[in-house]
Amino acid sequence: MPYILQTNHLTKTIDGKELIKGVNIHVKKGEIYGFLGPNGAGKTTVMKMITNLWKPTEGTVELFGETLTPTSYEVLKRMGSIIEFPTFYDHLSGKENLRLHCEYMGYYNPGSVENALEMLELTEAAEKSVKQYSLGMRQRLGIARAILCKPELLVLDEPTNGLDPAGMKKLRDLFKMLCTEYGITILISSHILSEVESIADTIGIINHGNMMKEISMKEISEMNTAYIELSTPDTRRAAYVLADKLELNNFKIMDEHNIRIYDSRIATSDISKALSLNDVEISAIGTKAESLEDYFLKLTEEESR
């Protein structure tokens, strides 16, 4: 099986509005796939169709080599998921909610509930009713439930909502461990690029319901463009010096204080000298490389144009 999950021209239309337009996703077994896009881009809609909560208007979803249908119960048992905010029986404890999940999944493995609670650092709160849980604790309990039955595929929609930076890092470490040690394939959506950049093997970028790009992080790393970033209070005059005095044309004014110079032939010392000779103040100058955020913004800006 080349892909553990793939979608084929997935489309969703509601009340005459096309939310998702022919989306194709390809997730390989054993990888972490980062599904990126701004809020409202269509990530949750796609994930609802992947988990069979919504039916596609057009197109298909393939899980483990089988086309998903309304009765694909055995296939869906092999997947764990969180879509939007996880819901629980609030009057029951965290442990009781997980035990109930095991019951209706037909999963009976001694110690699995305790192990999941420990992995998500919820052991001390295990006997508390869920109505006493904070937003972050509920989110972690949702992840505990998603991994409880040792799924082959984990589908997580914005799983770090409600968590502080330390909690987000712990979850990233957990996801990497689940992938490398347990062999769980993970599809994780986020609008926070740095969150995905540090753990993903492949990313898919969606915007306005369109799948814009699927690319491996290795490919992004290899195509990274080095550039010189110049910070100055006078970008207008600095741009004149770059173009007229240094005869550069491969640069971009990013905002009122920053310019990026993509010409590899020029040294920072030559730029600094030319600007100084022409009375252009320099706040900072240095060589940098494009990040995933830069790549993402470039794609979305091109689509907007």
Side-chain angles (χ1 to χ4, degrees), residues 158-230:
E158 303 269 5
T160 58
N161 278 339
L163 300 181
D164 59 23
M168 291 169 69
K169 184 184 184 306
K170 286 178 182 176
L171 276 193
R172 288 197 299 269
D173 292 342
L174 173 65
F175 297 150
K176 285 191 279 190
M177 183 273 288
L178 290 173
C179 188
T180 56
E181 294 185 25
Y182 288 83
I184 296 175
T185 304
I186 301 176
L187 168 64
I188 178 172
S189 76
S190 182
H191 64 279
I192 305 172
L193 279 70
S194 58
E195 177 184 330
V196 170
E197 185 173 20
S198 61
I199 61 171
D201 301 297
T202 303
I203 63 161
I205 299 175
I206 188 170
N207 196 29
H208 302 304
N210 294 302
M211 196 68 176
M212 300 176 61
K213 190 79 172 179
E214 274 190 320
I215 188 169
S216 70
M217 286 303 301
K218 183 181 178 184
E219 286 178 88
I220 291 177
S221 177
E222 288 173 351
M223 64 189 278
N224 258 354
T225 305
Y227 60 88
I228 295 170
E229 182 149 284
L230 167 68

Side-chain angles (χ1 to χ4, degrees), residues 73-184:
Y73 306 123
E74 293 304 313
V75 170
L76 292 169
K77 279 185 179 180
R78 300 165 67 183
M79 175 171 55
S81 65
I82 294 182
I83 305 298
E84 296 183 312
F85 293 101
T87 57
F88 303 96
Y89 294 101
D90 281 2
H91 63 287
L92 298 180
S93 69
K95 181 182 284 188
E96 288 169 332
N97 269 279
L98 295 192
R99 283 178 175 166
L100 188 61
H101 182 72
C102 286
E103 285 288 333
Y104 63 69
M105 288 293 288
Y107 184 80
Y108 305 101
N109 190 340
S112 59
V113 169
E114 290 75 15
N115 185 46
L117 288 166
E118 184 179 350
M119 289 175 79
L120 274 300
E121 299 186 353
L122 288 168
T123 302
E124 291 183 9
E127 304 296 344
K128 289 182 179 178
S129 64
V130 173
K131 64 184 174 187
Q132 295 177 274
Y133 281 28
S134 66
L135 175 60
M137 290 169 70
R138 293 176 74 99
Q139 197 71 12
R140 283 187 282 136
L141 185 63
I143 295 169
R145 184 173 63 189
I147 68 174
L148 182 57
C149 301
K150 298 294 186 292
E152 296 169 59
L153 172 65
L154 201 52
V155 177
L156 302 172
D157 183 21
E158 303 269 5
T160 58
N161 278 339
L163 300 181
D164 59 23
M168 291 169 69
K169 184 184 184 306
K170 286 178 182 176
L171 276 193
R172 288 197 299 269
D173 292 342
L174 173 65
F175 297 150
K176 285 191 279 190
M177 183 273 288
L178 290 173
C179 188
T180 56
E181 294 185 25
Y182 288 83
I184 296 175

Side-chain angles (χ1 to χ4, degrees), residues 20-84:
I20 299 297
K21 309 160 190 175
V23 166
N24 297 313
I25 290 177
H26 307 85
V27 181
K28 298 173 188 171
K29 181 177 173 61
E31 74 170 350
I32 297 178
Y33 185 107
F35 194 29
L36 293 175
N39 289 328
K43 302 186 298 295
T44 299
T45 300
V46 171
M47 288 184 150
K48 283 182 175 179
M49 289 188 281
I50 288 170
T51 52
N52 226 15
L53 295 173
W54 283 6
K55 305 300 180 284
T57 306
E58 293 178 28
T60 59
V61 176
E62 289 183 30
L63 286 171
F64 311 108
E66 295 183 29
T67 300
L68 198 62
T69 70
T71 58
S72 298
Y73 306 123
E74 293 304 313
V75 170
L76 292 169
K77 279 185 179 180
R78 300 165 67 183
M79 175 171 55
S81 65
I82 294 182
I83 305 298
E84 296 183 312

Side-chain angles (χ1 to χ4, degrees), residues 225-230 261 266-269 284-290:
T225 305
Y227 60 88
I228 295 170
E229 182 149 284
L230 167 68
I261 302 155
I266 192 81
T268 55
S269 57
I285 188 170
T287 303
K288 294 187 177 182
E290 284 192 339

Side-chain angles (χ1 to χ4, degrees), residues 239-252:
Y240 165 75
V241 172
L242 294 175
D244 191 68
K245 305 297 182 182
L246 294 174
E247 298 182 349
L248 301 178
N249 53 33
N250 195 7
F251 63 86
K252 182 178 181 181

